[in-house]
């Protein structure tokens, strides 16, 4: 495995807004940069990678050479696009950043993304290349986008000036449906100079898919084993929780279904029992007892209404006879007879009181005088009073006649003695 310190020069000029590379030139370039950074850090734990921009207000170092892959990815967000690319200044600043690397045993490499026209002359680029070769700095060039004004020839001249034992490479990527990163993954920029060979390419491929789906949960366990383990444990706990919840839901559904079946079966049994059996009290009494109770109830009702069909007039003797015939086993019939006898007694007492009131002549005269518009001397009023007073007088005459007969009988009895 090659121990390297790498600086990646990004083109963020106005030309990067074009959409001839999907989705845009800048987005395609950013994906390729992430791929290369992952490949470099995967190939050797001590490798470092730095990133700088070559356009805008000037060359700006986003991150110095580091092995922290997260810091490299973070620096790629929120980059501004504008201005023109300054290739020579970008290469010189990258060389200066590599000169101040912490581990001096690391080999130096610069990767340049050139997606816009180059305004420098070929001689200037050749001078820059010779300086890189003198300081043992390898250069990889990714040529994409604009091809006018002799851009490929200028980059080839730069590569020829810096190349030493085929340690430097150039890749021309034409526009098309293929992603920029997919084209670069099979080029010498990923396969290296032969030291590491296919192993380096495999590490690059793993890094390319590492942020998508190559590793579980999108985390490389070699880079962050603790985070990968924590995510795996969390996923197992979530899976176990979901399985337990599904099991409880199935048990609850089965329990409810079973309870519904038991309720329906018990309801069917009750209905069948009610349909197949009659009232036990009615069965015990029998049809004869039912007929007897019906006759007694009809007789009691006739007595309460003074019905002549009953053969009784509501006297005490008739009531005593019925009560004597009523058995203690029929409390409802006895209660009905008792209530009918009480009603009869109340009616007789009310009639006697009314007869006393009507027999009082003074009381009737006071009532007639108090009525408005009624004249007591009227012939109709006199006839009514005479009719009401006649009844008590007749009763009085009858009583006096009975007393006289009684006295006469007693007198004849004494004479005989």
């Amino acid at each position: 495995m090659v121990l390297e310190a790498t600086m990646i020069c990004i083109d963020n000029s106005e030309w990067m807004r074009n959409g001839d590379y999907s989705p845009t030139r800048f987005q395609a370039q950013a994906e390729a940069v992430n791929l290369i950074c992952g490949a470099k850090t995967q190939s050797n734990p001590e490798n470092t990678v730095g990133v700088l921009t070559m356009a805008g207000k000037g060359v700006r170092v986003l991150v110095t050479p580091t092995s922290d892959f997260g810091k490299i990815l973070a620096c790629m967000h929120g980059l501004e696009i504008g201005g023109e690319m300054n290739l020579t200044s970008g290469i010189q600043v990258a060389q200066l950043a590599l000169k101040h690397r912490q581990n001096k045993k690391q080999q130096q490499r610069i990767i340049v993304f050139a997606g816009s026209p180059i305004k420098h002359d070929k001689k200037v680029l050749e001078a820059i290349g010779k300086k890189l070769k003198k300081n043992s700095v390898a250069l990889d060039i990714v040529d994409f986008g604009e091809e006018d004004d002799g851009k490929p020839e200028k980059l080839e001249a730069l590569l020829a000036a810096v190349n030493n034992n085929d340690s430097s490479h150039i890749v021309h990527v034409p526009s098309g449906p293929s992603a920029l990163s997919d084209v670069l993954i099979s080029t010498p920029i990923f396969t290296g100079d032969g030291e590491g060979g296919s192993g380096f390419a495999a590490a690059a491929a793993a890094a390319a898919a590492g942020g998508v789906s190559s590793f579980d949960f999108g985390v490389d366990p070699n880079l962050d084993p603790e985070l990968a383990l924590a995510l795996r444990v969390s996923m197992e706990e979530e899976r176990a929780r979901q399985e337990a919840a599904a099991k409880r839901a199935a048990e609850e559904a089965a329990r409810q279904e079973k309870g519904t079946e038991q309720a329906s079966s018990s309801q069917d049994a009750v209905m069948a029992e009610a349909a197949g059996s009659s009232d036990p009290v009615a069965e015990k009494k029998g049809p004869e007892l039912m007929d007897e109770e019906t006759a007694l109830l009809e007789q009691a009702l006739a007595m309460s209404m003074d019905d002549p069909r009953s053969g009784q007039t509501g006297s005490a003797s008739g009531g005593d006879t019925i009560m004597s015939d009523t058995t203690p086993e029929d409390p409802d019939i006895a209660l009905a007879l008792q209530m009918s006898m009480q009603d009869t007694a109340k009616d007789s007492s009310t009639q006697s009181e009314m007869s006393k009131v009507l027999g009082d002549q003074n009381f009737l005269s006071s009532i007639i005088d108090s009525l408005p518009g009624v004249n007591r001397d009227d012939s109709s009023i006199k006839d009514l009073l005479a009719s009401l007073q006649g009844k008590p007088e007749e009763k009085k005459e009858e009583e006096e006649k009975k007393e006289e007969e009684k006295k006469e009988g007693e007198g004849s009895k004494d004479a005989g003695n």
Side-chain angles (χ1 to χ4, degrees):
M1 293 185 293
V2 181
L3 183 61
E4 255 182 355
T6 306
M7 283 296 297
I8 300 177
C9 302
I10 298 176
D11 184 2
N12 62 327
S13 64
E14 289 288 345
W15 300 88
M16 294 299 100
R17 299 183 188 275
N18 293 348
D20 50 353
Y21 293 84
S22 178
T24 61
R25 288 187 186 181
F26 185 78
Q27 291 295 332
Q29 178 184 213
E31 292 177 0
V33 170
N34 293 338
L35 181 67
I36 293 174
C37 292
K40 294 294 184 180
T41 54
Q42 287 279 330
S43 61
N44 194 318
E46 297 184 9
N47 283 353
T48 57
V49 180
V51 181
L52 61 83
T53 57
M54 297 183 293
K57 297 181 180 180
V59 178
R60 183 164 66 98
V61 178
L62 300 178
V63 59
T64 56
T66 178
S67 59
D68 188 353
F69 185 56
K71 184 184 293 186
I72 298 171
L73 294 178
C75 75
M76 296 294 297
H77 295 286
L79 290 180
E80 297 181 358
I81 299 175
E84 296 181 354
M85 179 184 67
N86 191 343
L87 181 60
T88 57
S89 297
I91 292 175
Q92 290 175 357
V93 173
Q95 180 185 358
L96 184 62
L98 291 174
K99 184 178 181 180
H100 291 86
R101 66 192 184 278
Q102 294 181 354
N103 189 356
K104 300 301 181 180
K105 293 182 180 181
Q106 291 175 328
Q107 297 182 12
Q108 304 174 77
R109 181 175 295 274
I110 298 174
I111 300 177
V112 175
F113 283 84
S116 56
I118 298 175
K119 62 182 180 179
H120 305 287
D121 294 336
K122 185 183 296 184
K123 293 181 179 180
V124 176
L125 295 178
E126 288 177 350
I128 294 293
K130 291 177 181 180
K131 187 176 181 180
L132 293 177
K133 183 177 180 180
K134 180 180 179 180
N135 293 319
S136 300
V137 179
L139 179 66
D140 291 332
I141 302 173
V142 180
D143 178 22
F144 68 105
E146 303 300 322
E147 297 180 359
D148 299 335
D149 299 331
K151 175 185 173 184
E153 290 79 7
K154 293 179 181 180
L155 293 177
E156 290 287 351
L158 174 61
L159 180 67
V162 73
N163 193 10
N164 183 17
N165 296 327
D166 294 332
S167 60
S168 301
H169 312 90
I170 186 171
V171 178
H172 300 280
V173 184
S175 59
S178 299
L180 186 61
S181 57
D182 293 341
V183 176
L184 293 178
I185 197 171
S186 59
T187 61
I189 295 178
F190 284 91
T191 56
D193 337 342
E195 301 180 11
S198 60
F200 185 81
V212 183
S213 60
S214 176
F215 305 111
D216 293 338
F217 320 113
V219 178
D220 184 6
N222 296 323
L223 292 177
D224 198 345
E226 295 180 357
L227 179 59
L229 179 60
L231 291 174
R232 186 176 295 107
V233 171
S234 178
M235 181 59 69
E236 292 295 334
E237 291 178 353
E238 179 65 18
R239 187 180 294 109
R241 186 189 66 80
Q242 293 179 358
E243 291 177 356
K247 185 177 180 181
R248 286 196 301 269
E251 291 177 355
E252 184 66 20
R255 188 181 301 109
Q256 291 180 357
E257 184 178 358
K258 185 177 180 181
T260 304
E261 292 178 355
Q262 290 179 354
S264 60
S265 61
S266 61
Q267 185 176 2
D268 294 341
V270 170
M271 292 178 64
E273 182 179 357
S277 62
S278 58
D279 189 5
V281 178
E283 291 180 354
K284 182 177 180 180
K285 290 182 178 181
E288 297 180 356
L289 185 57
M290 292 293 292
D291 293 341
E292 184 179 356
E293 290 181 355
T294 304
L296 292 174
L297 287 173
E298 290 180 354
Q299 188 176 4
L301 182 60
M303 290 179 60
S304 63
M305 297 177 64
D306 291 334
D307 190 353
R309 293 178 303 170
S310 63
Q312 303 290 338
T313 59
S315 60
S317 60
D320 295 339
T321 304
I322 295 175
M323 289 300 294
S324 61
D325 294 339
T326 305
T327 59
E329 296 179 357
D330 303 322
D332 295 336
I333 299 174
L335 180 60
L337 294 177
Q338 184 177 359
M339 291 176 64
S340 64
M341 292 174 64
Q342 290 177 357
D343 293 339
T344 304
K346 288 181 180 179
D347 293 340
S348 60
S349 61
T350 303
Q351 291 177 0
S352 61
E353 291 177 358
M354 287 295 296
S355 61
K356 290 181 180 179
V357 170
L358 294 175
D360 191 351
Q361 184 177 2
N362 296 328
F363 177 73
L364 290 176
S365 299
S366 63
I367 290 177
I368 291 173
D369 293 339
S370 63
L371 293 177
V374 179
N375 187 5
R376 197 172 71 175
D377 295 334
D378 192 359
S379 58
S380 59
I381 300 299
K382 291 180 178 181
D383 294 340
L384 177 61
L385 292 176
S387 63
L388 292 176
Q389 294 175 2
K391 294 181 180 179
E393 290 177 356
E394 291 177 358
K395 290 184 178 180
K396 186 175 181 181
E397 291 177 356
E398 291 179 358
E399 291 178 357
E400 292 178 353
K401 187 177 181 181
K402 288 181 180 181
E403 290 180 359
E404 291 178 356
E405 291 178 355
K406 185 178 180 181
K407 291 180 179 179
E408 292 176 357
E410 291 179 353
S412 60
K413 185 178 181 180
D414 292 338
N417 293 329

